[in-house]
Amino acid sequence: MTGRLVLAATPIGDVEDASLRLRRLLTEADVVAAEDTRRLHALATRMGVRIGGRVVSYHEHNESARAQELLDVVASGGTVLVVTDAGMPAVSDPGFRVVAAAVAAGLPVTAAPGPSAVLTALALSGLPTDRFCFEGFLPRKPGERSRALLELAGERRTMVFFEAPHRLHAMLEAMVDAFGGDRPAAVCRELTKTYEEVRRAPVAELAAWAGAGEVRGEISVVVAGAPQSAATPVATLVVEVLSRVDAGERLKEAVREVAEATGTSKRDLYAAALARRG
């Protein structure tokens, strides 16, 4: 007899979003693996639920080491419930490693779906939802962040990001450089909470708003994809140029070849590449 591993979504704000299935699983699971055990107990108290099994910590610093311990419980016939502080485990949160290990071991894995900051932000953004991608948190270092955004400059799908409030202004400014200031976007703050706010505007306008005062709370940023009719932006070509330079090609030679192949101004491309390297 084998048990099962269950990933369960927890409320991202409003405790009333907790599903009946989550409530039952918290009382029935043999082991509850929580990203933060104190937050889990606080959530259970607000839900009026008594956790029935053993509670263990399962976070980014111990998930690899603890995965086998959790799977031993499943293999012996027990139910292991994995929860994070908010939203769905394994989506920009711990959970992927234990799921991968369970799949490799042939053990049952299922999910109790529920609240998702990604889908909630996407739905409220007012931007196209038929095709989208989730990019999570961008790199913290300015150069790495700019490079990541430049690689996404030609992405046609709507993009969803997470960001810390104290880095939001810098993130939006980098998006202005990579995508252009007129790219439609939405900043979603404190979703499902008392002070929920969704600001929809071009990226440049959102950057000015974020820089004008302190922004607080949990932040999701949704950005429209590149227009179908838009020519390949210089920012995207810069990525190709710098990739060639990283591979050993001289900057001027890389600029010349990329500019000739795309009909782009060599002077503009060279200046953009120098600015990005700096």
Side-chain angles (χ1 to χ4, degrees), residues 57-227:
S57 64
Y58 183 71
H59 46 72
E60 62 177 329
H61 302 297
N62 74 351
E63 59 176 327
S64 295
R66 179 142 279 172
Q68 189 56 53
E69 175 188 334
L70 299 178
L71 295 187
D72 288 343
V73 175
V74 176
S76 65
T79 295
V80 173
L81 180 66
V82 178
V83 296
T84 58
D85 293 343
M88 194 70 191
V91 180
S92 199
D93 271 325
F96 165 74
R97 287 180 173 83
V98 71
V99 171
V103 171
L107 295 172
V109 182
T110 188
S116 165
V118 177
L119 297 181
T120 303
L122 179 67
L124 294 179
S125 68
L127 298 172
T129 60
D130 53 336
R131 298 179 67 240
F132 70 93
C133 59
F134 174 56
E135 293 295 326
F137 286 93
L138 290 167
R140 296 186 180 187
K141 295 182 178 180
E144 294 177 4
R145 179 175 56 218
S146 296
R147 179 67 65 88
L149 288 172
L150 286 171
E151 292 175 352
L152 291 169
E155 173 60 63
R156 298 285 175 83
R157 296 170 294 179
T158 300
M159 296 166 280
V160 184
F161 302 84
F162 288 163
E163 190 52 279
H166 64 280
R167 291 196 297 268
L168 178 63
H169 180 237
M171 173 204 199
L172 293 170
E173 288 283 2
M175 285 183 171
V176 171
D177 293 339
F179 301 159
D182 59 348
R183 183 77 70 91
V187 173
C188 306
R189 188 179 70 85
E190 294 290 87
L191 291 173
T192 78
K193 300 178 183 177
T194 302
Y195 298 104
E196 176 180 288
E197 179 182 20
V198 180
R199 285 186 172 264
R200 307 171 184 88
V203 171
E205 185 177 324
L206 291 173
W209 162 75
E214 184 180 6
V215 181
R216 298 181 180 180
E218 300 288 334
I219 303 291
S220 299
V221 178
V222 187
V223 184

